[in-house]
Amino acid sequence: MRTRCWFSGIPRWPYRVALRLCGNHHDAQDIAQDALIAAWENLARFKADSSFSTWLYQIVTRRALNKITRGRDADRTDLPDPVADPGTGPAVQAERNLAGEAVNGALAALPLPQRAVVVLHHFEGLSYAEVAEVTRSSVPAVRSHLFRARRTLGKKLEEWR
C-alpha cells in the first residue's frame, strides 16, 4: 500500500527523500512542500524527455542538497525510526532500533553525492540511469558514488554484520 501525504493525492516520497538527505523532519517538510509548489508553478516548463516523477525527484534532491550546503548538515537524531514489528519481542526490536540508528548515522555521515545516490537507488528504488538523470551526472559516476558509499557504509557498519 502506498502511503500518502497530508493531501490524499500527493505521494509521500518527496518528504521521504528530503528526510533521508537532510536528516531533519522540519527541513524535510519544508523541502517537500517547496518542491511541490515549485513543480506546480513551473509545470509549463516540464519537458517530457523524462518522466514527471524523475523531474520531481530532481527538484526535491536539488532543494535538499542546497539546504544542506547552506550550512545545516544532517541531524542524525531526526532521521526516521524503524517501524515496530508487533510479532517480535522487545529484545529483537531494541536491536533493530539500534541497527536502524547506526544505518541512519552512517548514511548521514556520507558525502552529499554519495548520500544522494544511495537514497535514490537503494531507498527509492531508482535505476542507475534514473539516478544519473536526477543528479545530472553519468551512469559511471553514479556507479562510482555507490561503490564508494557501500564501501564506507560497510566499514562503519562492520559490527552489525
Side-chain angles (χ1 to χ4, degrees), residues 88-98:
T88 61
V92 173
Q93 191 58 46
E95 187 169 341
R96 281 189 189 159
N97 289 346
L98 289 173

Side-chain angles (χ1 to χ4, degrees), residues 12-139:
R12 191 169 166 86
W13 66 259
Y15 166 77
R16 192 175 58 229
V17 169
L19 180 61
R20 289 273 183 207
L21 290 173
C22 73
N24 179 293
H25 287 288
H26 180 71
D27 289 346
Q29 289 172 338
D30 289 347
I31 291 165
Q33 181 177 343
D34 290 347
L36 291 169
I37 291 169
W40 177 258
E41 290 174 344
N42 294 299
L43 201 51
R45 292 185 191 170
F46 172 65
K47 298 175 187 151
D49 14 336
S50 65
S51 71
F52 181 77
S53 63
T54 299
W55 183 60
L56 190 53
Y57 270 115
Q58 286 177 337
I59 295 169
V60 171
T61 302
R62 220 171 316 132
R63 288 182 182 266
L65 296 178
N66 285 343
K67 181 88 155 180
I68 294 166
T69 56
R70 274 192 252 128
R72 281 184 59 175
D73 206 352
D75 178 7
R76 295 178 192 156
T77 61
D78 224 11
L79 286 168
D81 295 325
V83 177
D85 182 3
T88 61
V92 173
Q93 191 58 46
E95 187 169 341
R96 281 189 189 159
N97 289 346
L98 289 173
E101 289 174 13
V103 169
N104 288 336
L107 181 64
L110 288 175
L112 294 179
Q114 292 177 18
R115 188 183 326 165
V117 297
V118 166
V119 167
L120 294 170
H121 180 66
H122 288 294
F123 289 100
E124 295 301 314
L126 272 61
S127 69
Y128 290 165
E130 290 170 321
V131 173
E133 192 171 347
V134 168
T135 59
R136 293 184 175 165
S137 62
S138 65
V139 171

